[in-house]
Amino acid sequence: EILQQIKNVDYRLSKINSFISGCPDPFIKEMMIYKFTQMLSWESVANKIGGYNSAGSCRMLVNRYIERYNRGKIFLPYS
């Protein structure tokens, strides 16, 4: 049972990493790496990103990207 749970976790991590690596926007990709693979808080993500980015703005950018992905409407907002 534990071995099966480990396999499930490995599978899910693989799917998360594939999703992140497929992000065409390097800024959002960096935020997702910090949040979903390094398990940082949104505040820590904002501090790592720097600039005038707040925890809320980082969270909203990532959430909007995920929503667009789920609707099949991915585009580069900064191009």
Side-chain angles (χ1 to χ4, degrees):
E1 180 171 305
I2 291 177
L3 186 58
Q4 185 60 39
Q5 289 176 352
I6 291 170
K7 287 180 182 179
N8 287 341
V9 168
D10 284 343
Y11 174 76
R12 289 178 183 190
L13 285 174
S14 173
K15 296 292 274 183
I16 290 168
N17 287 327
S18 292
F19 175 77
I20 292 172
S21 67
C23 178
D25 186 314
F27 184 64
I28 293 174
K29 183 186 288 190
E30 185 177 10
M31 287 187 278
M32 289 195 293
I33 288 169
Y34 289 141
K35 181 62 183 172
F36 301 128
T37 64
Q38 296 182 13
M39 304 301 291
L40 297 181
S41 68
W42 285 116
E43 190 68 39
S44 295
V45 170
N47 289 336
K48 288 249 189 205
I49 294 294
Y52 294 102
N53 297 293
S54 68
S57 66
C58 290
R59 179 184 46 78
M60 286 178 16
L61 282 169
V62 169
N63 285 344
R64 286 179 184 157
Y65 173 82
I66 293 170
E67 288 171 8
R68 287 184 187 115
Y69 178 86
N70 287 335
R71 289 191 309 237
K73 297 180 179 179
I74 295 300
F75 65 96
L76 288 173
Y78 306 111
S79 58

